[in-house]
Structure formats: C-alpha cells, structure tokens
Amino acid sequence: MPDSPIIAVMIHAADWRAATDWYAQAFPQARRVRHEPDDFGHLQLGELALEIVPSDAKVGQGPAGSVVYWRVADLSGELQRLEALGGRLYRGPMAIEGGEWICQVQDPWGNCIGLRQPAPLA
C-alpha cells in the first residue's frame, strides 16, 4: 500500500456538470480546475482532487459504497448549510467513540458525504 495521503475522491452523478456546480457550492474553498479541450474538470481542495464524473452502467450514483468523511468544526451548522443547497440528511447525527459526532448527507444525486465533528477539547 502506498504511504501517501488520499489524492482524489471520485463522485458519480448522471449530470456531472450540475453535480460539479453543487459541489463547488458545498465546498466554497475549492478551486475549480478545467481540462482542455472539453469542459471536464475537478475541484481542488488543497492536495485533494474532488472528481465528479458521469455515472454509468458499471458505477451508478447513490449510497452504494464507500463514504468519505470531512472534518467539520460545527456539524449542525454544516448540515443546515448543505440542506439549504439541496442536500438531504441520510444518517445520523449520532455520537461515536471518543465523543465525536457524525452524520451522512446525500447530495441531489443520492451520493453520501460524511461529516465528522471532533470531540470538544477537555
């Protein structure tokens, strides 16, 4: 196994252009990268590429597999923000080990985004 950090997360959606626009709003700190000669691209979050690609017969859209969790300082606030963008609570919020909180939010294409709030400092 490589000893490098995760470099890309691939999200499948039937309308990858609309999904890219949605994720650009969900992750406003992301820089949009366009690949020539077409308009296909990705969102760059520091060292991580968020690649929104067309779903197809081999890989559909929706909560059928892995969920990537993003660390957030305010789970409730981020949940409300994503819901205002058209996201929908899928699972949680729930307390987990160590006093952390997690939940999953579905994007408008049914894919899940995990949110994870660290435990408060003692």
Side-chain angles (χ1 to χ4, degrees):
M1 196 71 156
D3 61 351
S4 63
I6 294 171
I7 61 168
V9 174
M10 190 173 288
I11 298 168
H12 294 80
D15 185 347
W16 66 266
R17 286 180 178 92
T20 299
D21 290 341
W22 189 88
Y23 276 90
Q25 292 178 64
F27 294 90
Q29 71 277 27
R31 179 176 52 87
R32 194 146 187 184
V33 178
R34 295 188 193 279
H35 302 278
E36 298 299 331
D38 60 22
D39 63 346
F40 187 75
H42 68 275
L43 301 173
Q44 193 68 39
L45 293 151
E47 299 292 318
L48 178 73
L50 195 55
E51 301 172 348
I52 297 91
V53 300
S55 57
D56 58 23
K58 282 194 147 191
V59 181
Q61 61 187 26
S66 301
V67 176
V68 175
Y69 279 81
W70 301 88
R71 185 180 314 277
V72 297
D74 177 10
L75 185 125
S76 178
E78 280 301 306
L79 174 58
Q80 289 176 359
R81 191 178 71 78
L82 292 174
E83 287 177 327
L85 292 174
R88 182 178 72 80
L89 181 63
Y90 184 71
R91 174 176 273 173
M94 64 182 79
I96 62 169
E97 68 280 347
E100 295 185 326
W101 282 85
I102 63 170
C103 73
Q104 293 177 4
V105 177
Q106 280 187 314
D107 70 15
W109 298 269
N111 299 297
C112 287
I113 301 170
L115 303 177
R116 188 172 187 149
Q117 179 180 313
L121 297 174

